[in-house]
Amino acid sequence: MKTLHPASVAVRSLSRSLNTGFLFFVVGIVASPGGNGTDLLSVFGLVAIGIVVGIVYEFAYYRRFRYELTGDTFDVTSGVLARRDRELPLGRVQNVDIRQNVVGRVLGIAAVHIETAGGGQTEVSLQYVAEAEAHRLRRQLRRGGSATGAESADERARDADDEDEFEPTTDEDVLFEIQPHELAILSVFTIDPGASLLGGIALSFASGLDPTALVPTDRFTWLPGPESGLFTLIWGILLFLLAAWLISAALTFTRYYGFRLTRVDDELYYERGLLQRYSGTIPLEKVQTLTISESIPFRWFGYAALSVETAGYAPGQSDSRGTESAIPLADADRVRELARAIEPFGPIDLESPPRRARERYAVRYLLVVAGVVGIAYALARYTSLVHRWYVLAVLAVLVPLAAHLKWSSRGYRIDGRYFLTRTGFWRRTTKVVPYYRVQAVIHSATIFQRRRRLASVTADTASSATLLGRAATAYDVDSDRGLEMQADIEERLQDRLRARQRQRTVDRWVRDSSDATDDNSTAENDDMS
């Protein structure tokens, strides 16, 4: 069995010792409130003990961590105080991701994260192994454990000699490389939710700025004065949004810098990242759903994005566990071309929901406007933040337009091999689901839908995105039509499963016949010798 890279002790100890050292520092401060020299010496002594404890723990973790790739399983033994033995069947391995931070790239080590079907969490993490070993493990896990005796002599020689060539490139087909202008557009117009917290921190540092220096209210008399509470609120919101946007743009740039997508045999291979480098695989045979996203303002430039979902997990998702970007941003026609290379679906000519669904959206938006006007009235009556509350009633003029845009952005289609759905105006998503990937077909109707004889039909797959409410769903279809769709998809599912089973039987028969022929030829050659 193999061990982790010796440098992993130093890298893991740095993080562990900082955490334990800070914990001991807090304990020392609480236990020594006096603040005299003797107490400070005790505090620093506790910090030193915490650092030593962290280093000792990580050294013990390194000494007791073992892993081995066998013909059928990937075995891992770990644990310092409590031992844990795990055997991962190679047939259940979904994705193998490799991650390198700045320190790892300098030291030539990487973390390997192995995901299995049926869960959205990392099953095994190797932190850290040599960079060449990380790529060797991923290559052999993708082959189903070719590190065993079944591996050919040529493959073993290649793995031994080509340590600098981490991935096989003979059959590599470059599908996509992000261009500088595409990365710039993606960074400028992407808002990362995680940047909101950082934006709040930046806001706290900028709270001492004088807003009147940046907003000359003597020239813009229509603005509320600096003494107004509304002025302070507007200034705070603008500052928060500006900080969140700047930080989000920087994070997006570093995350997708150098994004590259290639195809090797029946798998997609991606790599991305500036400071922290990510690389991983997307097995085409385990793809559950394709999602084409066309968000505003990207649609204005003619761009779209493509993401894929695999069973129970979507690889390398920027720690989001939902879907992985096969293409973060590219020309919309190019995105559809690559999507059809993965799943050869036909034209995206979708059927719209009935017109009474649009009436339902109009009623919903009118209720929202009424709620906003009601809140504004309450603020005007009991506070000084709002005065002309009735001006917000003009939003009712936009209700018909909003309802029409929502209605026109939804649709569905059932063809011979795929179930296609579309929804969303601000972020329009088109999902493509092969029938043989469908786990269940759900026909549902809320009390409001039933009043207008509407329903929603969902094609549930094994993807973890389904658990997050992002399954392929045809919204607000006619209720009777929804029942027909449910029966139709279920029937097509069974037909596709039977066809795939027949194809697998034929392939197995051809393979067995070929092996038997080769064995007979070998036996005849031996007899002649």
Side-chain angles (χ1 to χ4, degrees):
M1 299 187 75
K2 295 188 176 183
T3 63
L4 301 176
H5 194 281
S8 64
V9 179
V11 177
R12 290 176 60 94
S13 296
L14 178 62
S15 175
R16 178 75 65 176
S17 60
L18 289 176
N19 292 334
T20 55
F22 178 76
L23 176 62
F24 278 59
F25 174 78
V26 173
V27 173
I29 291 296
V30 173
S32 305
N36 55 45
T38 303
D39 293 334
L40 290 178
L41 183 62
S42 301
V43 170
F44 287 117
L46 289 174
V47 172
I49 293 175
I51 294 176
V52 171
V53 168
I55 295 175
V56 170
Y57 178 88
E58 292 303 335
F59 182 77
Y61 181 88
Y62 161 77
R63 294 285 295 177
R64 296 174 66 84
F65 194 101
R66 296 290 186 273
Y67 67 91
E68 182 179 15
L69 180 62
T70 68
D72 301 319
T73 62
F74 184 70
D75 304 335
V76 177
T77 301
S78 62
V80 177
L81 302 179
R83 299 293 287 168
R84 183 183 182 188
D85 297 324
R86 284 166 288 178
E87 291 186 358
L88 273 66
L90 297 183
R92 293 186 61 82
V93 173
Q94 285 292 113
N95 306 95
V96 183
D97 295 341
I98 299 176
R99 303 182 186 183
Q100 279 185 295
N101 53 26
V102 176
V103 177
R105 294 167 71 177
V106 172
L107 298 178
I109 60 177
V112 180
H113 300 279
I114 303 173
E115 318 290 339
T116 60
Q121 296 182 347
T122 300
E123 184 68 26
V124 171
S125 293
L126 306 181
Q127 299 182 359
Y128 298 82
V129 297
E131 190 174 358
E133 171 69 3
H135 288 81
R136 183 192 71 84
L137 279 175
R138 180 171 62 189
R139 183 167 61 247
Q140 294 181 346
L141 285 170
R142 290 188 326 200
R143 296 172 184 168
S146 60
T148 62
E151 184 181 14
S152 67
D154 293 339
E155 288 174 330
R156 289 196 299 268
R158 181 180 59 191
D159 290 338
D161 296 337
D162 298 339
E163 291 191 358
D164 292 333
E165 189 177 355
F166 298 135
E167 293 294 328
T169 58
T170 55
D171 299 328
E172 183 181 76
D173 182 17
V174 179
L175 301 178
F176 175 76
E177 288 182 306
I178 194 167
Q179 301 300 314
H181 69 279
E182 295 171 339
L183 181 59
I185 294 175
L186 180 65
S187 302
V188 170
F189 293 104
T190 298
I191 299 298
D192 192 328
S196 299
L197 178 60
L198 297 177
I201 297 175
L203 176 63
S204 64
F205 282 105
S207 59
L209 294 177
D210 182 11
T212 59
L214 301 178
V215 185
T217 54
D218 57 337
R219 297 183 180 180
F220 301 94
T221 56
W222 53 272
L223 290 174
E227 69 283 353
S228 171
L230 182 59
F231 178 85
T232 304
L233 177 63
I234 293 175
W235 165 253
I237 293 175
L238 291 178
L239 184 61
F240 181 88
L241 294 177
L242 176 62
W245 174 70
L246 292 175
I247 295 174
S248 178
L251 291 178
T252 303
F253 180 86
T254 58
R255 179 179 299 139
Y256 290 106
Y257 178 85
F259 190 98
R260 188 170 183 264
L261 182 71
T262 59
R263 179 168 181 168
V264 179
D265 297 329
D266 291 331
E267 290 184 322
L268 300 179
Y269 168 74
Y270 69 91
E271 55 182 345
R272 61 177 174 82
L274 178 61
L275 300 179
Q276 185 165 1
R277 197 70 180 166
Y278 294 85
S279 61
T281 58
I282 305 174
L284 293 180
E285 65 177 6
K286 298 178 180 179
V287 170
Q288 303 291 309
T289 304
L290 301 180
T291 301
I292 301 175
S293 303
E294 301 170 277
S295 302
I296 291 179
F298 298 127
R299 286 211 306 267
W300 299 342
F301 299 93
Y303 289 109
L306 175 65
S307 57
V308 299
E309 301 161 10
T310 57
Y313 166 73
Q317 305 151 349
S318 308
D319 303 324
S320 64
R321 297 295 185 269
T323 49
E324 171 57 36
S325 294
I327 296 182
L329 191 72
D331 181 82
D333 294 334
R334 189 179 178 190
V335 168
R336 296 186 184 94
E337 180 181 354
L338 178 59
R340 289 190 174 94
I342 299 175
E343 292 288 354
F345 57 92
I348 309 178
D349 298 328
L350 305 182
E351 182 179 345
S352 299
R355 295 184 181 275
R356 60 180 180 275
R358 182 168 53 186
E359 300 172 2
R360 175 172 177 257
Y361 304 148
V363 172
R364 179 191 301 177
Y365 290 144
L366 281 175
L367 293 176
V368 172
V369 172
V372 171
V373 174
I375 294 174
Y377 171 76
L379 291 176
R381 181 176 178 84
Y382 299 105
T383 68
S384 60
L385 295 177
V386 179
H387 297 287
R388 297 181 178 89
W389 58 271
Y390 47 84
V391 174
L392 293 176
V394 74
L395 294 175
V397 178
L398 302 177
V399 166
L401 176 61
H404 176 76
L405 292 176
K406 187 178 186 67
W407 173 79
S408 61
S409 298
R410 287 185 165 178
Y412 62 92
R413 181 185 177 191
I414 297 178
D415 64 12
R417 300 176 59 185
Y418 302 95
F419 176 53
L420 291 82
T421 66
R422 173 181 287 171
T423 188
F425 170 74
W426 299 104
R427 186 176 185 271
R428 181 179 299 168
T429 57
T430 303
K431 290 185 175 290
V432 181
V433 182
Y435 289 129
Y436 65 89
R437 295 299 188 188
V438 176
Q439 299 288 320
V441 186
I442 303 171
H443 180 279
S444 60
T446 65
I447 185 174
F448 302 105
Q449 288 178 311
R450 290 198 297 268
R451 290 174 60 87
R452 294 183 178 271
R453 305 187 311 281
L454 299 174
S456 297
V457 179
T458 301
D460 194 358
T461 65
S463 169
S464 59
T466 298
L467 303 176
L468 303 176
R470 297 200 298 265
T473 302
Y475 292 98
D476 293 324
V477 301
D478 181 81
S479 181
D480 294 337
R481 173 60 176 149
L483 293 174
E484 295 176 0
M485 292 171 57
Q486 183 183 25
D488 194 4
I489 295 175
E490 290 175 347
E491 181 180 356
R492 293 173 185 268
L493 166 61
Q494 298 302 322
D495 291 341
R496 293 301 301 170
L497 289 177
R498 285 191 290 267
R500 286 177 62 84
Q501 184 62 37
R502 289 194 298 267
Q503 184 62 40
R504 289 176 179 175
T505 302
V506 172
D507 293 342
R508 189 182 304 111
W509 180 83
V510 171
R511 184 171 58 252
D512 293 342
S513 300
S514 177
D515 293 342
T517 303
D518 293 340
D519 292 341
N520 293 334
S521 299
T522 302
E524 292 176 359
N525 293 333
D526 292 341
D527 294 339
M528 294 178 62
S529 300

